[in-house]
Amino acid sequence: MSDRATAAPMTVERLQELLDRSPFSRFFGIHVAAIDIPAATIVLAMELRPELERREGSGQWHGGALAGLIDTAGDFALALGLGAPVPTINFRVDYLRPAMTPRLAATARVRRTGRMVAVVDIDVIDAEGRLVAIGRGCYGAQAG
């Protein structure tokens, strides 16, 4: 029997616990805002802090913080079905506008899970509902 078959069902609390095990995710303050297991969709959010600004006092998010949120959201969208985070193979980010609000939310949707590789699309919106970045990640399709 595989680990997936015996793993407890994913909940917001269990996913948050997995996120909190990562010093990176804890530093960024990433938290689970919503999950939809049948749709293989997760929403992760984070709040702006001075350490995440592009320039001190600018109120503008650093692109690296957005990229970290995108990669983490893609990974955890797969964790919904696999029971654990998986390695990133590659990902890309397209920045569409400066992110200037105090909160961002990334919605990740699994596009396809193959035998070895999975593809996830991620949209990042600001607190006013504007799309600020989009990403696509490829991840190992097996938890391990």
Side-chain angles (χ1 to χ4, degrees), residues 12-41:
V12 169
E13 295 78 19
R14 184 155 179 250
L15 286 162
Q16 188 64 55
E17 179 183 312
L18 288 172
L19 269 171
D20 290 343
R21 288 183 192 167
S22 164
F24 180 85
S25 296
R26 280 196 318 269
F27 174 78
F28 273 46
I30 298 172
H31 60 274
V32 180
I35 61 172
D36 183 339
I37 294 171
T41 302

PDB file of all heavy atoms in Angstrom, residues 12-41:
ATOM      1  N   VAL A  12      -6.825  22.162   5.976  1.00  0.00           N
ATOM      2  CA  VAL A  12      -6.117  23.437   6.077  1.00  0.00           C
ATOM      3  C   VAL A  12      -5.080  23.356   7.190  1.00  0.00           C
ATOM      4  O   VAL A  12      -3.930  23.782   7.027  1.00  0.00           O
ATOM      5  CB  VAL A  12      -7.111  24.602   6.308  1.00  0.00           C
ATOM      6  CG1 VAL A  12      -6.387  25.876   6.692  1.00  0.00           C
ATOM      7  CG2 VAL A  12      -7.975  24.818   5.077  1.00  0.00           C
ATOM      8  N   GLU A  13      -5.460  22.773   8.325  1.00  0.00           N
ATOM      9  CA  GLU A  13      -4.552  22.690   9.472  1.00  0.00           C
ATOM     10  C   GLU A  13      -3.327  21.823   9.162  1.00  0.00           C
ATOM     11  O   GLU A  13      -2.202  22.180   9.514  1.00  0.00           O
ATOM     12  CB  GLU A  13      -5.290  22.138  10.701  1.00  0.00           C
ATOM     13  CG  GLU A  13      -6.398  23.032  11.219  1.00  0.00           C
ATOM     14  CD  GLU A  13      -7.682  22.961  10.397  1.00  0.00           C
ATOM     15  OE1 GLU A  13      -7.890  21.996   9.629  1.00  0.00           O
ATOM     16  OE2 GLU A  13      -8.487  23.914  10.501  1.00  0.00           O
ATOM     17  N   ARG A  14      -3.544  20.688   8.513  1.00  0.00           N
ATOM     18  CA  ARG A  14      -2.423  19.801   8.175  1.00  0.00           C
ATOM     19  C   ARG A  14      -1.493  20.458   7.167  1.00  0.00           C
ATOM     20  O   ARG A  14      -0.266  20.379   7.282  1.00  0.00           O
ATOM     21  CB  ARG A  14      -2.946  18.478   7.629  1.00  0.00           C
ATOM     22  CG  ARG A  14      -1.821  17.494   7.365  1.00  0.00           C
ATOM     23  CD  ARG A  14      -2.316  16.048   7.424  1.00  0.00           C
ATOM     24  NE  ARG A  14      -1.180  15.187   7.134  1.00  0.00           N
ATOM     25  CZ  ARG A  14      -1.047  14.489   6.018  1.00  0.00           C
ATOM     26  NH1 ARG A  14      -1.989  14.534   5.100  1.00  0.00           N
ATOM     27  NH2 ARG A  14       0.020  13.750   5.817  1.00  0.00           N
ATOM     28  N   LEU A  15      -2.059  21.136   6.173  1.00  0.00           N
ATOM     29  CA  LEU A  15      -1.229  21.841   5.192  1.00  0.00           C
ATOM     30  C   LEU A  15      -0.441  22.966   5.849  1.00  0.00           C
ATOM     31  O   LEU A  15       0.735  23.170   5.546  1.00  0.00           O
ATOM     32  CB  LEU A  15      -2.099  22.378   4.054  1.00  0.00           C
ATOM     33  CG  LEU A  15      -2.592  21.320   3.078  1.00  0.00           C
ATOM     34  CD1 LEU A  15      -3.767  21.850   2.280  1.00  0.00           C
ATOM     35  CD2 LEU A  15      -1.476  20.848   2.169  1.00  0.00           C
ATOM     36  N   GLN A  16      -1.082  23.690   6.772  1.00  0.00           N
ATOM     37  CA  GLN A  16      -0.378  24.768   7.470  1.00  0.00           C
ATOM     38  C   GLN A  16       0.770  24.199   8.297  1.00  0.00           C
ATOM     39  O   GLN A  16       1.856  24.784   8.354  1.00  0.00           O
ATOM     40  CB  GLN A  16      -1.329  25.578   8.348  1.00  0.00           C
ATOM     41  CG  GLN A  16      -0.692  26.822   8.933  1.00  0.00           C
ATOM     42  CD  GLN A  16      -0.304  27.817   7.848  1.00  0.00           C
ATOM     43  OE1 GLN A  16      -1.136  28.214   7.035  1.00  0.00           O
ATOM     44  NE2 GLN A  16       0.956  28.235   7.836  1.00  0.00           N
ATOM     45  N   GLU A  17       0.546  23.057   8.917  1.00  0.00           N
ATOM     46  CA  GLU A  17       1.609  22.406   9.684  1.00  0.00           C
ATOM     47  C   GLU A  17       2.794  22.051   8.776  1.00  0.00           C
ATOM     48  O   GLU A  17       3.947  22.272   9.135  1.00  0.00           O
ATOM     49  CB  GLU A  17       1.059  21.146  10.354  1.00  0.00           C
ATOM     50  CG  GLU A  17       2.085  20.385  11.162  1.00  0.00           C
ATOM     51  CD  GLU A  17       1.488  19.112  11.739  1.00  0.00           C
ATOM     52  OE1 GLU A  17       0.397  19.167  12.326  1.00  0.00           O
ATOM     53  OE2 GLU A  17       2.138  18.054  11.580  1.00  0.00           O
ATOM     54  N   LEU A  18       2.509  21.533   7.591  1.00  0.00           N
ATOM     55  CA  LEU A  18       3.581  21.231   6.630  1.00  0.00           C
ATOM     56  C   LEU A  18       4.314  22.509   6.207  1.00  0.00           C
ATOM     57  O   LEU A  18       5.541  22.534   6.124  1.00  0.00           O
ATOM     58  CB  LEU A  18       3.012  20.530   5.399  1.00  0.00           C
ATOM     59  CG  LEU A  18       2.563  19.082   5.577  1.00  0.00           C
ATOM     60  CD1 LEU A  18       1.835  18.584   4.329  1.00  0.00           C
ATOM     61  CD2 LEU A  18       3.741  18.181   5.910  1.00  0.00           C
ATOM     62  N   LEU A  19       3.564  23.570   5.960  1.00  0.00           N
ATOM     63  CA  LEU A  19       4.179  24.856   5.596  1.00  0.00           C
ATOM     64  C   LEU A  19       5.086  25.351   6.714  1.00  0.00           C
ATOM     65  O   LEU A  19       6.198  25.823   6.462  1.00  0.00           O
ATOM     66  CB  LEU A  19       3.103  25.911   5.336  1.00  0.00           C
ATOM     67  CG  LEU A  19       2.589  26.083   3.928  1.00  0.00           C
ATOM     68  CD1 LEU A  19       1.387  27.010   3.927  1.00  0.00           C
ATOM     69  CD2 LEU A  19       3.656  26.585   2.996  1.00  0.00           C
ATOM     70  N   ASP A  20       4.597  25.261   7.934  1.00  0.00           N
ATOM     71  CA  ASP A  20       5.330  25.799   9.084  1.00  0.00           C
ATOM     72  C   ASP A  20       6.602  25.020   9.399  1.00  0.00           C
ATOM     73  O   ASP A  20       7.468  25.514  10.119  1.00  0.00           O
ATOM     74  CB  ASP A  20       4.431  25.861  10.315  1.00  0.00           C
ATOM     75  CG  ASP A  20       3.354  26.927  10.189  1.00  0.00           C
ATOM     76  OD1 ASP A  20       3.484  27.825   9.320  1.00  0.00           O
ATOM     77  OD2 ASP A  20       2.378  26.858  10.949  1.00  0.00           O
ATOM     78  N   ARG A  21       6.743  23.818   8.850  1.00  0.00           N
ATOM     79  CA  ARG A  21       7.979  23.054   9.038  1.00  0.00           C
ATOM     80  C   ARG A  21       9.141  23.657   8.242  1.00  0.00           C
ATOM     81  O   ARG A  21      10.294  23.343   8.508  1.00  0.00           O
ATOM     82  CB  ARG A  21       7.777  21.606   8.605  1.00  0.00           C
ATOM     83  CG  ARG A  21       6.926  20.816   9.541  1.00  0.00           C
ATOM     84  CD  ARG A  21       6.841  19.379   9.068  1.00  0.00           C
ATOM     85  NE  ARG A  21       5.807  18.661   9.788  1.00  0.00           N
ATOM     86  CZ  ARG A  21       5.357  17.480   9.424  1.00  0.00           C
ATOM     87  NH1 ARG A  21       5.867  16.871   8.381  1.00  0.00           N
ATOM     88  NH2 ARG A  21       4.409  16.894  10.116  1.00  0.00           N
ATOM     89  N   SER A  22       8.818  24.481   7.258  1.00  0.00           N
ATOM     90  CA  SER A  22       9.838  25.091   6.411  1.00  0.00           C
ATOM     91  C   SER A  22      10.233  26.459   6.971  1.00  0.00           C
ATOM     92  O   SER A  22       9.392  27.354   7.070  1.00  0.00           O
ATOM     93  CB  SER A  22       9.300  25.271   4.988  1.00  0.00           C
ATOM     94  OG  SER A  22      10.112  26.174   4.268  1.00  0.00           O
ATOM     95  N   PRO A  23      11.509  26.660   7.303  1.00  0.00           N
ATOM     96  CA  PRO A  23      11.945  27.983   7.764  1.00  0.00           C
ATOM     97  C   PRO A  23      11.655  29.070   6.729  1.00  0.00           C
ATOM     98  O   PRO A  23      11.318  30.196   7.079  1.00  0.00           O
ATOM     99  CB  PRO A  23      13.448  27.822   7.993  1.00  0.00           C
ATOM    100  CG  PRO A  23      13.658  26.359   8.179  1.00  0.00           C
ATOM    101  CD  PRO A  23      12.595  25.680   7.346  1.00  0.00           C
ATOM    102  N   PHE A  24      11.771  28.725   5.447  1.00  0.00           N
ATOM    103  CA  PHE A  24      11.493  29.671   4.356  1.00  0.00           C
ATOM    104  C   PHE A  24      10.037  30.133   4.416  1.00  0.00           C
ATOM    105  O   PHE A  24       9.755  31.333   4.409  1.00  0.00           O
ATOM    106  CB  PHE A  24      11.795  28.988   3.015  1.00  0.00           C
ATOM    107  CG  PHE A  24      11.546  29.845   1.810  1.00  0.00           C
ATOM    108  CD1 PHE A  24      12.515  30.729   1.361  1.00  0.00           C
ATOM    109  CD2 PHE A  24      10.357  29.751   1.112  1.00  0.00           C
ATOM    110  CE1 PHE A  24      12.297  31.510   0.239  1.00  0.00           C
ATOM    111  CE2 PHE A  24      10.125  30.516  -0.010  1.00  0.00           C
ATOM    112  CZ  PHE A  24      11.100  31.411  -0.447  1.00  0.00           C
ATOM    113  N   SER A  25       9.114  29.193   4.473  1.00  0.00           N
ATOM    114  CA  SER A  25       7.688  29.538   4.511  1.00  0.00           C
ATOM    115  C   SER A  25       7.332  30.297   5.782  1.00  0.00           C
ATOM    116  O   SER A  25       6.516  31.223   5.748  1.00  0.00           O
ATOM    117  CB  SER A  25       6.828  28.279   4.392  1.00  0.00           C
ATOM    118  OG  SER A  25       7.026  27.665   3.140  1.00  0.00           O
ATOM    119  N   ARG A  26       7.938  29.899   6.899  1.00  0.00           N
ATOM    120  CA  ARG A  26       7.692  30.623   8.156  1.00  0.00           C
ATOM    121  C   ARG A  26       8.196  32.056   8.056  1.00  0.00           C
ATOM    122  O   ARG A  26       7.518  32.988   8.482  1.00  0.00           O
ATOM    123  CB  ARG A  26       8.364  29.914   9.335  1.00  0.00           C
ATOM    124  CG  ARG A  26       7.604  28.732   9.866  1.00  0.00           C
ATOM    125  CD  ARG A  26       8.082  28.293  11.242  1.00  0.00           C
ATOM    126  NE  ARG A  26       9.512  28.290  11.422  1.00  0.00           N
ATOM    127  CZ  ARG A  26      10.317  27.260  11.198  1.00  0.00           C
ATOM    128  NH1 ARG A  26       9.828  26.116  10.762  1.00  0.00           N
ATOM    129  NH2 ARG A  26      11.623  27.351  11.405  1.00  0.00           N
ATOM    130  N   PHE A  27       9.404  32.250   7.506  1.00  0.00           N
ATOM    131  CA  PHE A  27       9.948  33.595   7.365  1.00  0.00           C
ATOM    132  C   PHE A  27       9.036  34.458   6.498  1.00  0.00           C
ATOM    133  O   PHE A  27       8.770  35.617   6.825  1.00  0.00           O
ATOM    134  CB  PHE A  27      11.357  33.567   6.765  1.00  0.00           C
ATOM    135  CG  PHE A  27      11.888  34.943   6.474  1.00  0.00           C
ATOM    136  CD1 PHE A  27      12.378  35.733   7.501  1.00  0.00           C
ATOM    137  CD2 PHE A  27      11.864  35.455   5.184  1.00  0.00           C
ATOM    138  CE1 PHE A  27      12.842  37.019   7.246  1.00  0.00           C
ATOM    139  CE2 PHE A  27      12.334  36.734   4.924  1.00  0.00           C
ATOM    140  CZ  PHE A  27      12.825  37.519   5.956  1.00  0.00           C
ATOM    141  N   PHE A  28       8.563  33.901   5.397  1.00  0.00           N
ATOM    142  CA  PHE A  28       7.680  34.652   4.502  1.00  0.00           C
ATOM    143  C   PHE A  28       6.297  34.869   5.114  1.00  0.00           C
ATOM    144  O   PHE A  28       5.561  35.731   4.676  1.00  0.00           O
ATOM    145  CB  PHE A  28       7.557  33.940   3.159  1.00  0.00           C
ATOM    146  CG  PHE A  28       8.624  34.304   2.171  1.00  0.00           C
ATOM    147  CD1 PHE A  28       9.956  34.360   2.531  1.00  0.00           C
ATOM    148  CD2 PHE A  28       8.298  34.597   0.868  1.00  0.00           C
ATOM    149  CE1 PHE A  28      10.940  34.695   1.622  1.00  0.00           C
ATOM    150  CE2 PHE A  28       9.276  34.933  -0.059  1.00  0.00           C
ATOM    151  CZ  PHE A  28      10.604  34.974   0.323  1.00  0.00           C
ATOM    152  N   GLY A  29       5.928  34.077   6.105  1.00  0.00           N
ATOM    153  CA  GLY A  29       4.608  34.197   6.727  1.00  0.00           C
ATOM    154  C   GLY A  29       3.500  33.664   5.835  1.00  0.00           C
ATOM    155  O   GLY A  29       2.362  34.135   5.893  1.00  0.00           O
ATOM    156  N   ILE A  30       3.814  32.666   5.035  1.00  0.00           N
ATOM    157  CA  ILE A  30       2.814  32.096   4.121  1.00  0.00           C
ATOM    158  C   ILE A  30       1.801  31.294   4.924  1.00  0.00           C
ATOM    159  O   ILE A  30       2.158  30.499   5.790  1.00  0.00           O
ATOM    160  CB  ILE A  30       3.494  31.201   3.065  1.00  0.00           C
ATOM    161  CG1 ILE A  30       4.460  32.028   2.213  1.00  0.00           C
ATOM    162  CG2 ILE A  30       2.449  30.501   2.194  1.00  0.00           C
ATOM    163  CD1 ILE A  30       5.321  31.209   1.264  1.00  0.00           C
ATOM    164  N   HIS A  31       0.521  31.527   4.627  1.00  0.00           N
ATOM    165  CA  HIS A  31      -0.523  30.763   5.314  1.00  0.00           C
ATOM    166  C   HIS A  31      -1.579  30.288   4.317  1.00  0.00           C
ATOM    167  O   HIS A  31      -1.778  30.885   3.255  1.00  0.00           O
ATOM    168  CB  HIS A  31      -1.152  31.560   6.463  1.00  0.00           C
ATOM    169  CG  HIS A  31      -1.801  32.827   6.034  1.00  0.00           C
ATOM    170  ND1 HIS A  31      -1.136  34.015   5.900  1.00  0.00           N
ATOM    171  CD2 HIS A  31      -3.080  33.095   5.707  1.00  0.00           C
ATOM    172  CE1 HIS A  31      -1.963  34.959   5.500  1.00  0.00           C
ATOM    173  NE2 HIS A  31      -3.152  34.429   5.377  1.00  0.00           N
ATOM    174  N   VAL A  32      -2.226  29.198   4.680  1.00  0.00           N
ATOM    175  CA  VAL A  32      -3.267  28.609   3.845  1.00  0.00           C
ATOM    176  C   VAL A  32      -4.544  29.417   4.033  1.00  0.00           C
ATOM    177  O   VAL A  32      -5.048  29.548   5.144  1.00  0.00           O
ATOM    178  CB  VAL A  32      -3.506  27.126   4.209  1.00  0.00           C
ATOM    179  CG1 VAL A  32      -4.595  26.529   3.326  1.00  0.00           C
ATOM    180  CG2 VAL A  32      -2.220  26.324   4.104  1.00  0.00           C
ATOM    181  N   ALA A  33      -5.064  29.950   2.924  1.00  0.00           N
ATOM    182  CA  ALA A  33      -6.306  30.726   2.980  1.00  0.00           C
ATOM    183  C   ALA A  33      -7.512  29.881   2.602  1.00  0.00           C
ATOM    184  O   ALA A  33      -8.610  30.096   3.116  1.00  0.00           O
ATOM    185  CB  ALA A  33      -6.204  31.947   2.069  1.00  0.00           C
ATOM    186  N   ALA A  34      -7.321  28.902   1.697  1.00  0.00           N
ATOM    187  CA  ALA A  34      -8.436  28.054   1.259  1.00  0.00           C
ATOM    188  C   ALA A  34      -7.884  26.850   0.511  1.00  0.00           C
ATOM    189  O   ALA A  34      -6.800  26.914  -0.067  1.00  0.00           O
ATOM    190  CB  ALA A  34      -9.384  28.837   0.346  1.00  0.00           C
ATOM    191  N   ILE A  35      -8.662  25.762   0.540  1.00  0.00           N
ATOM    192  CA  ILE A  35      -8.331  24.592  -0.269  1.00  0.00           C
ATOM    193  C   ILE A  35      -9.603  24.051  -0.906  1.00  0.00           C
ATOM    194  O   ILE A  35     -10.699  24.226  -0.370  1.00  0.00           O
ATOM    195  CB  ILE A  35      -7.638  23.471   0.539  1.00  0.00           C
ATOM    196  CG1 ILE A  35      -8.529  22.949   1.662  1.00  0.00           C
ATOM    197  CG2 ILE A  35      -6.292  23.923   1.053  1.00  0.00           C
ATOM    198  CD1 ILE A  35      -7.967  21.703   2.372  1.00  0.00           C
ATOM    199  N   ASP A  36      -9.440  23.410  -2.063  1.00  0.00           N
ATOM    200  CA  ASP A  36     -10.525  22.698  -2.731  1.00  0.00           C
ATOM    201  C   ASP A  36      -9.903  21.418  -3.266  1.00  0.00           C
ATOM    202  O   ASP A  36      -9.308  21.413  -4.354  1.00  0.00           O
ATOM    203  CB  ASP A  36     -11.121  23.548  -3.851  1.00  0.00           C
ATOM    204  CG  ASP A  36     -12.314  22.886  -4.534  1.00  0.00           C
ATOM    205  OD1 ASP A  36     -12.453  21.649  -4.446  1.00  0.00           O
ATOM    206  OD2 ASP A  36     -13.091  23.614  -5.181  1.00  0.00           O
ATOM    207  N   ILE A  37      -9.995  20.354  -2.495  1.00  0.00           N
ATOM    208  CA  ILE A  37      -9.315  19.109  -2.843  1.00  0.00           C
ATOM    209  C   ILE A  37      -9.838  18.525  -4.157  1.00  0.00           C
ATOM    210  O   ILE A  37      -9.036  18.168  -5.019  1.00  0.00           O
ATOM    211  CB  ILE A  37      -9.372  18.104  -1.680  1.00  0.00           C
ATOM    212  CG1 ILE A  37      -8.550  18.668  -0.504  1.00  0.00           C
ATOM    213  CG2 ILE A  37      -8.856  16.732  -2.096  1.00  0.00           C
ATOM    214  CD1 ILE A  37      -8.670  17.901   0.781  1.00  0.00           C
ATOM    215  N   PRO A  38     -11.163  18.434  -4.382  1.00  0.00           N
ATOM    216  CA  PRO A  38     -11.620  17.864  -5.655  1.00  0.00           C
ATOM    217  C   PRO A  38     -11.136  18.662  -6.874  1.00  0.00           C
ATOM    218  O   PRO A  38     -10.866  18.089  -7.924  1.00  0.00           O
ATOM    219  CB  PRO A  38     -13.148  17.908  -5.549  1.00  0.00           C
ATOM    220  CG  PRO A  38     -13.429  17.942  -4.088  1.00  0.00           C
ATOM    221  CD  PRO A  38     -12.284  18.692  -3.467  1.00  0.00           C
ATOM    222  N   ALA A  39     -11.000  19.966  -6.728  1.00  0.00           N
ATOM    223  CA  ALA A  39     -10.534  20.801  -7.838  1.00  0.00           C
ATOM    224  C   ALA A  39      -9.009  20.915  -7.886  1.00  0.00           C
ATOM    225  O   ALA A  39      -8.467  21.570  -8.778  1.00  0.00           O
ATOM    226  CB  ALA A  39     -11.151  22.201  -7.733  1.00  0.00           C
ATOM    227  N   ALA A  40      -8.315  20.306  -6.928  1.00  0.00           N
ATOM    228  CA  ALA A  40      -6.848  20.372  -6.834  1.00  0.00           C
ATOM    229  C   ALA A  40      -6.378  21.826  -6.852  1.00  0.00           C
ATOM    230  O   ALA A  40      -5.477  22.207  -7.599  1.00  0.00           O
ATOM    231  CB  ALA A  40      -6.192  19.554  -7.945  1.00  0.00           C
ATOM    232  N   THR A  41      -7.001  22.630  -5.985  1.00  0.00           N
ATOM    233  CA  THR A  41      -6.725  24.067  -5.920  1.00  0.00           C
ATOM    234  C   THR A  41      -6.453  24.475  -4.476  1.00  0.00           C
ATOM    235  O   THR A  41      -7.124  24.020  -3.559  1.00  0.00           O
ATOM    236  CB  THR A  41      -7.927  24.876  -6.454  1.00  0.00           C
ATOM    237  OG1 THR A  41      -8.190  24.461  -7.793  1.00  0.00           O
ATOM    238  CG2 THR A  41      -7.671  26.361  -6.433  1.00  0.00           C
TER     239      THR A  41
END
